[in-house]
Amino acid sequence: MPVQVFQTKFERNFGPALQRFFEGCQRINHEHMAQHYPRLPKPEFKLEELQVRWRVRRDGSVHAFVCKNTGDVLMPASWSKPAKHARGNIFDEHNGLAEMGVYGPAYLR
């Protein structure tokens, strides 16, 4: 008898929500580059899976982190660690992009 693996609603929706967040980060940055620096090449974005979170890279630097357990968008404090407090969530109405700027998540106010 085959074993059935059940996924929660969170697990089923995480991949598409992460992809929309990633594409939104690219769109925000590429629109800014096209408007202000049309002759420069657009930066390359990559998505890397780590043990506890996903890392969104922009060229050679970290753009943002996304927590695998909660979907929280975190500002990078260093190459491997995020800052303490979440700047959004990929499951909210803005898909985590409300506090996203050209160079990453906004500072807390």
Side-chain angles (χ1 to χ4, degrees), residues 66-92:
V66 177
C67 181
K68 288 183 182 179
N69 298 328
T70 60
D72 286 340
V73 176
L74 303 163
M75 181 177 170
S78 69
W79 172 256
S80 60
K81 292 189 179 188
K84 288 188 178 183
H85 303 288
R87 279 19 181 218
N89 193 293
I90 62 173
F91 298 111
D92 65 12

Side-chain angles (χ1 to χ4, degrees), residues 21-32:
F21 172 75
F22 180 70
E23 290 168 358
C25 290
Q26 286 180 314
R27 180 182 43 78
I28 290 169
N29 195 279
H30 289 171
E31 287 174 358
H32 173 77

Side-chain angles (χ1 to χ4, degrees), residues 16 54 58 79:
W54 287 87
R58 177 182 173 259
W79 172 256

